Amino acid sequence: MALSRALRCCQRIFSWIPVIIISSVVLWSYYAYVFELCFVTLSNHLERVVYLLMFHVCFIMFCWTYWKAIFTPPSTPSKKFHLSYSDKERYEMEERPDVQKQILAEIAKKLPIFTRAQSGAIRFCDRCQVIKPDRCHHCSVCETCILKMDHHCPWVNNCVGFSNYKFFLLFLSYSMIYCVFIASTVFQYFLKFWVGDLPNGPAKFHVLFLLFVALMFFVSLMFLFGYHCWLVAKNRSTLEAFSAPVFQNGPDRNGFNVGLSRNLRQVFGEDKKLWFIPVFTSQGDGHYFPLRTLRESENPLLANEGKWMEDGGSDEESADENGPAVIIRTES
């Protein structure tokens, strides 16, 4: 028991190493750009002021989005999806798998669930003892079920899912902008150092490596950001791109694809002025997502959210614990 706790403690400590590496590189880039380039290398006062202002805007937005991606807790299923004491006892007492599936199916009738396991059964997590909402998966690193789980990212030491997917996308985009700005403004001084127009010194080392590091990170981020833009356009998570979600009629990779405009609004929200600001604006609560083949207004469960929200008081409690309050959108 003590050994397993020690191993878990070591795992938590080592999991921060990628974040420390990224933070160290960023802090070095700040020093190299602000002090070695702007204050030591640049001689034009106006150019220095403009570079510093633009650099700090990029730097602040990068740090803000990175912070939000790291420290925003991933959302977990609300109490509605946990088995009650009587249902849990009935499920555990039953040894026949077919009957267990029937028990879960009866409970799931009260919930807005449309996806199934590969076997066609209701998706149930034995570790968390919870009926999985659509697009929810268990993360072995976080040791809990995550709403609309995309992947566990070691570079932010966090699970990327419903609560922080927008922040993760903004982190990628502002990282690219940060790299492009550094590379574009450093390039001319890189050439001057290279041909010998500027004297050798500590600044030369920092300017040369600034360009190489910025370009290297930009190339890697460009492919990752492009891939996630494609996922957002198709309304898929990384997990769904590799394994199509299964519905009652079978697997369908485009099951949650409701058109480019609505797909974007699901992640970034209705207010376009807030799309590029790292504040939570995603639609819904992460437990239900509109389907391509089923309109919300045609589903009696979703036409009246009271059908599956039996205890109104507990929803406020779960909202405080898991993020935004429950919002079910209906369209006629």
Side-chain angles (χ1 to χ4, degrees):
M1 191 70 177
L3 180 61
S4 62
R5 288 181 180 176
L7 290 174
R8 281 198 298 269
C9 182
C10 291
Q11 182 183 12
R12 292 192 186 112
I13 294 172
F14 285 122
S15 65
W16 285 101
I17 290 179
V19 176
I20 294 172
I21 293 174
I22 294 295
S23 301
S24 301
V25 172
V26 172
L27 289 175
W28 165 77
S29 70
Y30 183 90
Y31 166 78
Y33 193 92
V34 172
F35 293 98
E36 297 294 344
L37 177 68
C38 291
F39 287 119
V40 175
T41 305
L42 293 183
S43 57
N44 187 302
H45 181 69
L46 178 61
E47 186 180 20
R48 179 186 301 159
V49 172
V50 172
Y51 278 16
L52 285 173
L53 286 175
M54 295 179 65
F55 173 81
H56 279 90
V57 170
C58 297
F59 181 78
I60 289 171
M61 294 307 298
F62 166 81
C63 292
W64 189 5
T65 54
Y66 193 39
W67 177 275
K68 295 287 284 186
I70 294 173
F71 294 105
T72 300
S75 295
T76 56
S78 69
K79 292 183 179 180
K80 297 293 180 184
F81 292 81
H82 289 261
L83 298 185
S84 65
Y85 178 80
S86 57
D87 290 333
K88 183 178 179 181
E89 188 176 47
R90 186 159 60 107
Y91 178 81
E92 291 178 345
M93 292 289 291
E94 182 57 58
E95 297 180 354
R96 292 169 294 179
D98 292 341
V99 179
Q100 286 183 328
K101 291 180 181 180
Q102 292 178 2
I103 294 173
L104 294 177
E106 291 175 6
I107 301 170
K109 288 180 180 178
K110 303 175 183 178
L111 301 170
I113 294 177
F114 297 97
T115 55
R116 298 290 185 266
Q118 292 291 336
S119 63
I122 297 296
R123 300 191 312 132
F124 179 73
C125 181
D126 290 314
R127 295 181 181 180
C128 300
Q129 292 292 295
V130 63
I131 294 177
K132 295 180 182 179
D134 291 346
R135 316 185 83 173
C136 175
H137 298 275
H138 185 89
C139 176
S140 58
V141 180
C142 298
E143 297 182 343
T144 188
C145 286
I146 308 297
L147 294 179
K148 196 190 175 184
M149 179 178 172
D150 188 87
H151 68 288
H152 187 93
C153 180
W155 298 108
V156 300
N157 192 28
N158 199 3
C159 231
V160 178
F162 173 76
S163 63
N164 63 349
Y165 188 58
K166 175 188 173 183
F167 305 146
F168 178 74
L169 290 174
L170 291 180
F171 159 63
L172 294 180
S173 61
Y174 283 116
S175 298
M176 290 178 58
I177 293 172
Y178 184 71
C179 292
V180 168
F181 174 78
I182 289 178
S184 60
T185 53
V186 163
F187 183 69
Q188 61 174 315
Y189 297 97
F190 166 83
L191 292 178
K192 290 180 179 180
F193 276 120
W194 190 266
V195 299
D197 290 345
L198 291 175
N200 290 331
K204 178 178 181 179
F205 166 81
H206 291 287
V207 169
L208 295 180
F209 272 85
L210 263 178
L211 181 64
F212 287 128
V213 172
L215 290 176
M216 179 183 67
F217 275 93
F218 171 75
V219 171
S220 58
L221 287 167
M222 179 178 62
F223 288 105
L224 183 59
F225 180 70
Y227 175 66
H228 278 279
C229 286
W230 177 77
L231 290 178
V232 172
K234 297 293 185 179
N235 205 337
R236 298 175 192 169
S237 66
T238 299
L239 295 176
E240 291 165 353
F242 285 97
S243 179
V246 179
F247 298 88
Q248 292 182 354
N249 296 328
D252 185 1
R253 291 188 184 276
N254 294 312
F256 296 106
N257 188 353
V258 290
L260 178 60
S261 177
R262 292 185 66 189
N263 293 342
L264 289 172
R265 293 202 302 270
Q266 277 189 30
V267 176
F268 295 100
E270 296 287 347
D271 191 351
K272 293 183 179 180
K273 295 190 296 293
L274 299 176
W275 277 18
F276 303 102
I277 306 298
V279 294
F280 184 86
T281 55
S282 301
Q283 292 180 342
D285 69 333
H287 293 84
Y288 166 74
F289 298 90
L291 303 179
R292 179 174 60 90
T293 57
L294 178 67
R295 294 170 62 90
E296 296 96 321
S297 58
E298 295 172 356
N299 183 2
L301 270 179
L302 302 174
N304 180 7
E305 61 183 86
K307 293 286 185 180
W308 67 278
M309 294 173 58
E310 297 174 355
D311 301 320
S314 62
D315 289 327
E316 297 180 1
E317 180 181 350
S318 62
D320 291 337
E321 295 175 355
N322 299 314
V326 173
I327 301 175
I328 300 296
R329 298 183 180 273
T330 58
E331 297 179 6
S332 56

